[in-house]
Amino acid sequence: MTLNRNDKTRIAHRLADAFTCIPTGNQGPLTKQEVYTQLGVSLVSIIYDEHTGWSWVLADGQDAYLFLKSRLESESLQGYTTRKVQRSDGEWARLEQKLKAEIESRKRQENTSGTSGRNNPAIPQPTASRSLPSQTNPAESLSALEGTNWPSSSSTSNVLGRSGWSIADASVSHIFAHKSTVSSQTVPQGPKVVPPLVRPKVAQPPRKKQRTKGPASWSLLQPDPARLWSLRQPDAKRPCPFKKLPVELIEAVLEECFEGLETRREHVEMAHTLDSVSTGIRQVLRGLPSLWAVIHPALPAQFTKRAISLSPSRPLSIEYVPKPAQSKGWQKFGVFIQLVEEARDRWDSLDVTVNPMSLATLIQALETPAPILHSLRVSTTYTEQVDDSQPISPFRLLDGKQGYLRRLELNKTPCAFDPTPFTLLTSMILEEGVYTRYQDVLDFLTSCSQLEELHLADLNFTDGPPRELEQPLVLPQLKQLTLADGVARVGIIKLYHSIRADNCERLTLKVRGVAEMDRPELVERFVPVVQRILETESQTALRFSRHKNLSATFWEGAGAIHSFCLGFIGDALAHAMHFPSFINRVLPPGNGAPQIKLNVEGMMSGLTEGRIGFDVVEAMPTVLASRFQSLTVTEVVAQVVVDRHFGCLQEFIAPGLQKGLPALRRITLQAVPSETLVMKPESAAAGRGLEEFIDAVSQAYYEVAPGGGVPAQKRNSITVLLEGRFGVNASTRTALVDGGDGARAGIRIVASKAKLHCTNL
């Protein structure tokens, strides 16, 4: 029997998704019960290879394949060695032959049933990968809906009556429109002769000139739920070929609606929209359990109940966030957690953000084990002030049973947590207010062998400050490491000195104070980190910014693979005095030193955050450019308030430019709305515009007198890049019209990312 193109494509996909299980002992053939018991995956097919005694495991559906793949990557199937099917030794061909035989057998059964009831074509049965509940067969429902029988997929071409005709030739309005009163007419008995399906010419009513034409034909490959809804009304003058589509094609259209959705909320809203289109669409959609395995509180509780019941044995991806403003139908957390607790044995991913008032309810719900929970994130909307005199509530997560949990994040969760039972984690993130014992963290790091990501920030250690260890903790699998102090100095840097992670690709440290800059141990640890960055990148960044109510300085690498961020929180002036010396001790000496991008943001631009009801204190420049003369600074990035407030930035860059920043080649100015950052109007910075700033930079860089000419061979050595909305003189705006480039006083100006307007100042 010849296979059609769809059959061959289905076989190719199943071959690519199949896994080979090679027994390591003398056990018999692999069974589905063994796969479910060890991996928790039930939607699989097992095919035995008589030639080798091996077994092939094939997931029933794309979601089941991804779930099976993740389980095999994190867990081993005891008694078997698993790998993908290989083309060598005839393994691929043997499995392909078995899949072909399976399809041919199914087609012979369909042909047999079709011969016995030729006048009543058989209802197409769904494949194993898209099983439908018997009590809600979509084919039977749609047949009853349309008043006629649903042809099988194998007889589609005969029913259509014309060779070469494809489903795409019919408009979607034909496909999804309901049958009208024409279906109630009497049909003569006898053999049915189906004429070729031809799109009839329908007389259109006269239209007014002002009325616009309807939307163009809609593509089946890019469905729009809003269009589906608009097509609910029947059209008596058009035939309805929707009843002739095979179930598999309708399922593919519905699954395509969910492609590209980025959030769980978008997913459940799409399911709700499609479920409201028509009875026929609803019956098919409710037969696809993988599309109902996402839970979100954006819709009423009844919809959540339906989603849980329509996705039996499917791993659930659950998210809860508090109700946004002006949202209707949002579930309260107490109601939501009661609904999802009924399916605790199917939790796969749980991401919950609650108000502090609901945190106790959430912790209580999470103290019971969840058998297949793989990823857990718990967060609150804000951190409440904790009374130090009151005992901290313990958080006995999952009753201390690891299970399949591999990713854990606790954020703004003021409770006592012990990570030691969870030594199989690959990612652990604890930050902002979590209470734990430093010794428990050390015990956890000593026992874990699969940890790839560790993030500890702003923690409260209940057994005293961190201390360095005599013997380092070796973490060979660690790829990302983040250690950060909060507003209070915890001393988390001591844990960094106790860890050895030679394969770490992304490192972030945030430390209170500047004393650590003078320690040679930190320099020694950072030399290899920076060297890996410089293998692929020629530039690092030095950034001055704000950290909550404090100043902060960060040295960052922007590598595509390896990256780092070293930050010191405290006094910006002290940072500026010590940081260049620290960087010079880390960077390689000589002319091969990498370039530095100096980002001063709002710290040295005469800006301060606006506060209603408080006096505005002007933030004057805290350092001079000469502080950075030992570094190869090639670019300066700064924020400026729109409309002629460049004075403080000019005072920072212009004086001694040749001595302080001799390698400077670019100045990037980012315009900030005056409603966000403000300054005193009587400031010396007021009244200085872009043109005056550029003239001052030109005089300092080219060392020429005001109004003096710049030699032709030196012109355009520095570029000023504008980003945002700037006020300029009319002549400058004319020179930079349409976002073009211009020049002034030997300085090249690029305004492709700016919006310019004229000012009279």
Side-chain angles (χ1 to χ4, degrees):
M1 182 178 294
T2 305
L3 301 180
N4 57 34
R5 181 182 301 176
N6 292 337
D7 295 332
K8 294 179 180 179
T9 301
R10 186 178 296 110
I11 290 175
H13 288 172
R14 301 207 76 188
L15 283 169
D17 295 346
F19 294 90
T20 302
C21 298
I22 305 173
T24 57
N26 297 324
Q27 60 266 39
L30 181 66
T31 63
K32 294 180 64 175
Q33 182 62 30
E34 291 182 83
V35 176
Y36 177 74
T37 302
Q38 298 188 39
L39 302 179
V41 185
S42 60
L43 299 176
V44 296
S45 301
I46 308 295
I47 299 179
Y48 181 69
D49 184 13
E50 299 85 355
H51 182 75
T52 59
W54 302 346
S55 299
W56 292 300
V57 180
L58 298 89
D60 298 339
Q62 183 65 18
D63 290 340
Y65 165 71
L66 296 176
F67 185 53
L68 175 63
K69 180 181 177 183
S70 65
R71 288 292 184 260
L72 289 175
E73 290 177 350
S74 59
E75 303 289 338
S76 60
L77 193 59
Q78 296 180 4
Y80 295 90
T81 301
T82 58
R83 60 169 172 77
K84 299 290 288 185
V85 178
Q86 298 181 357
R87 295 181 180 271
S88 60
D89 301 329
E91 179 184 353
W92 185 282
R94 292 196 301 274
L95 179 56
E96 183 180 19
Q97 187 62 32
K98 286 183 175 291
L99 294 176
K100 288 181 179 178
E102 178 185 348
I103 294 179
E104 291 174 354
S105 175
R106 178 171 57 82
K107 286 193 171 185
R108 282 193 294 268
Q109 294 177 0
E110 291 178 355
N111 292 337
T112 302
S113 61
T115 304
S116 61
R118 189 176 302 276
N119 292 334
N120 290 317
I123 296 174
Q125 299 298 323
T127 61
S129 61
R130 309 192 193 283
S131 60
L132 297 176
S134 58
Q135 66 272 20
T136 58
N137 190 302
E140 296 174 355
S141 301
L142 291 177
S143 297
L145 173 68
E146 305 299 343
T148 185
N149 291 323
W150 188 303
S152 64
S153 58
S154 60
S155 60
T156 302
S157 59
N158 295 331
V159 174
L160 296 179
R162 178 158 61 98
S163 61
W165 191 89
S166 64
I167 299 298
D169 292 334
S171 68
V172 176
S173 59
H174 289 176
I175 294 176
F176 291 100
H178 285 250
K179 192 149 185 153
S180 65
T181 55
V182 177
S183 62
S184 63
Q185 298 177 2
T186 303
V187 180
Q189 303 296 324
K192 295 183 179 180
V193 179
V194 182
L197 183 58
V198 180
R199 186 179 300 170
K201 296 182 179 179
V202 181
Q204 300 291 336
R207 298 179 177 179
K208 297 180 180 181
K209 293 183 179 181
Q210 292 80 0
R211 184 174 181 178
T212 59
K213 294 183 179 180
S217 297
W218 173 63
S219 172
L220 286 176
L221 297 180
Q222 297 180 352
D224 184 356
R227 295 293 308 280
L228 293 178
W229 180 269
S230 67
L231 296 172
R232 297 181 65 191
Q233 300 300 325
D235 188 346
K237 299 181 180 180
R238 294 183 177 180
C240 181
F242 176 73
K243 60 187 179 182
K244 302 175 182 178
L245 291 177
V247 177
E248 287 81 0
L249 181 56
I250 302 175
E251 291 176 350
V253 172
L254 296 178
E255 289 176 342
E256 187 68 24
C257 293
F258 293 85
E259 293 295 328
L261 301 182
E262 298 180 355
T263 65
R264 295 180 180 91
R265 180 177 180 178
E266 292 176 351
H267 187 103
V268 298
E269 289 177 344
M270 176 66 72
H272 180 264
T273 301
L274 294 176
D275 195 59
S276 306
V277 172
S278 67
T279 303
I281 293 295
R282 183 182 304 114
Q283 296 296 334
V284 179
L285 180 67
R286 295 187 179 185
L288 298 172
S290 61
L291 301 183
W292 297 91
V294 177
I295 310 299
H296 192 276
L299 296 173
Q302 188 63 34
F303 186 85
T304 299
K305 292 181 180 179
R306 182 185 307 138
I308 294 176
S309 64
L310 292 176
S311 57
S313 72
R314 293 281 176 156
L316 297 179
S317 177
I318 305 172
E319 179 183 8
Y320 184 86
V321 293
K323 177 183 177 181
Q326 300 179 352
S327 296
K328 296 182 179 180
W330 207 275
Q331 300 176 44
K332 295 183 178 180
F333 178 72
V335 176
F336 181 83
I337 196 64
Q338 288 181 359
L339 293 176
V340 299
E341 272 195 293
E342 298 177 0
R344 174 184 295 274
D345 59 335
R346 294 194 285 133
W347 289 1
D348 177 71
S349 174
L350 187 62
D351 186 344
V352 182
T353 301
V354 296
N355 296 319
M357 295 77 72
S358 303
L359 181 60
T361 304
L362 174 60
I363 291 177
Q364 182 179 0
L366 293 176
E367 290 182 344
T368 304
I372 66 170
L373 183 61
H374 183 265
S375 176
L376 173 64
R377 178 183 178 273
V378 177
S379 178
T380 59
T381 53
Y382 61 91
T383 304
E384 286 189 325
Q385 187 68 28
V386 178
D387 188 358
D388 295 336
S389 62
Q390 298 295 328
I392 304 300
S393 301
F395 185 10
R396 187 170 176 77
L397 178 63
L398 304 179
D399 198 23
K401 297 180 180 180
Q402 172 89 49
Y404 287 100
L405 187 63
R406 296 298 179 267
R407 298 182 58 85
L408 173 64
E409 178 178 351
L410 302 180
N411 184 10
K412 299 178 183 177
T413 309
C415 56
F417 173 68
D418 180 7
T420 53
F422 306 97
T423 56
L424 297 180
L425 290 176
T426 59
S427 173
M428 186 176 75
I429 301 175
L430 306 177
E431 59 181 353
E432 291 201 44
V434 177
Y435 287 80
T436 187
R437 297 176 68 251
Y438 183 68
Q439 186 60 46
D440 290 342
V441 174
L442 296 179
D443 294 341
F444 165 78
L445 297 177
T446 303
S447 303
C448 66
S449 59
Q450 304 179 20
L451 192 64
E452 298 179 1
E453 179 183 9
L454 178 63
H455 185 117
L456 305 177
D458 199 3
L459 300 183
N460 298 309
F461 293 113
T462 58
D463 58 343
R467 60 188 182 279
E468 295 185 26
L469 301 180
E470 297 180 359
Q471 297 296 330
L473 293 172
V474 180
L475 302 176
Q477 303 297 329
L478 195 64
K479 300 295 189 299
Q480 301 182 42
L481 175 61
T482 299
L483 301 175
D485 280 336
V487 176
R489 182 173 182 175
V490 178
I492 198 70
I493 191 67
K494 294 182 180 180
L495 179 59
Y496 173 67
H497 291 307
S498 302
I499 292 177
R500 291 296 178 269
D502 296 334
N503 297 319
C504 184
E505 298 175 352
R506 298 188 178 276
L507 173 64
T508 301
L509 295 178
K510 297 180 181 179
V511 185
R512 281 296 310 272
V514 297
E516 288 293 333
M517 292 187 194
D518 299 328
R519 291 189 58 180
E521 294 85 354
L522 185 60
V523 175
E524 295 175 0
R525 293 293 305 279
F526 251 81
V527 167
V529 174
V530 176
Q531 286 179 347
R532 286 198 298 267
I533 300 293
L534 299 182
E535 291 177 357
T536 57
E537 299 291 327
S538 60
Q539 187 182 59
T540 60
L542 183 59
R543 175 167 57 92
F544 289 79
S545 64
R546 293 179 176 88
H547 179 79
K548 297 183 178 179
N549 60 338
L550 300 174
S551 301
T553 307
F554 298 96
W555 186 27
E556 302 169 326
I561 300 177
H562 297 90
S563 181
F564 74 92
C565 176
L566 176 60
F568 294 93
I569 305 168
D571 185 6
L573 179 59
H575 296 167
M577 296 175 61
H578 289 78
F579 223 143
S581 175
F582 172 80
I583 295 176
N584 285 324
R585 284 183 289 161
V586 175
L587 294 178
N591 296 328
Q595 302 173 3
I596 300 290
K597 179 170 70 173
L598 181 60
N599 191 335
V600 297
E601 292 189 358
M603 295 299 298
M604 289 172 289
S605 306
L607 309 179
T608 183
E609 295 184 3
R611 291 289 187 270
I612 299 177
F614 292 88
D615 293 335
V616 177
V617 180
E618 182 180 358
M620 294 299 292
T622 55
V623 294
L624 300 176
S626 58
R627 293 287 185 183
F628 306 97
Q629 61 183 352
S630 60
L631 303 177
T632 309
V633 178
T634 59
E635 180 179 359
V636 171
V637 180
Q639 293 178 340
V640 291
V641 172
V642 292
D643 291 351
R644 311 179 71 83
H645 293 156
F646 289 86
C648 293
L649 180 61
Q650 176 179 327
E651 294 174 2
F652 167 68
I653 293 181
L657 179 60
Q658 281 288 2
K659 180 180 179 181
L661 305 172
L664 185 64
R665 293 295 179 268
R666 172 182 289 188
I667 301 174
T668 300
L669 303 178
Q670 300 172 345
V672 180
S674 57
E675 297 81 6
T676 305
L677 299 177
V678 297
M679 68 187 315
K680 289 184 177 180
E682 66 272 14
S683 166
R688 301 189 188 180
L690 175 65
E691 292 81 5
E692 185 176 354
F693 169 76
I694 292 178
D695 291 342
V697 172
S698 174
Q699 297 167 16
Y701 184 79
Y702 296 118
E703 297 181 333
V704 296
V710 178
Q713 63 273 17
K714 294 184 178 181
R715 292 178 182 173
N716 299 334
S717 298
I718 291 186
T719 299
V720 173
L721 179 63
L722 305 180
E723 297 179 358
R725 187 175 182 272
F726 284 88
V728 296
N729 294 336
S731 59
T732 304
R733 187 175 186 276
T734 302
L736 301 175
V737 68
D738 297 329
D741 297 352
R744 179 184 176 92
I747 305 294
R748 181 169 173 258
I749 306 175
V750 178
S752 58
K753 299 181 179 180
K755 294 183 179 180
L756 307 178
H757 67 277
C758 293
T759 177
N760 296 325
L761 295 178

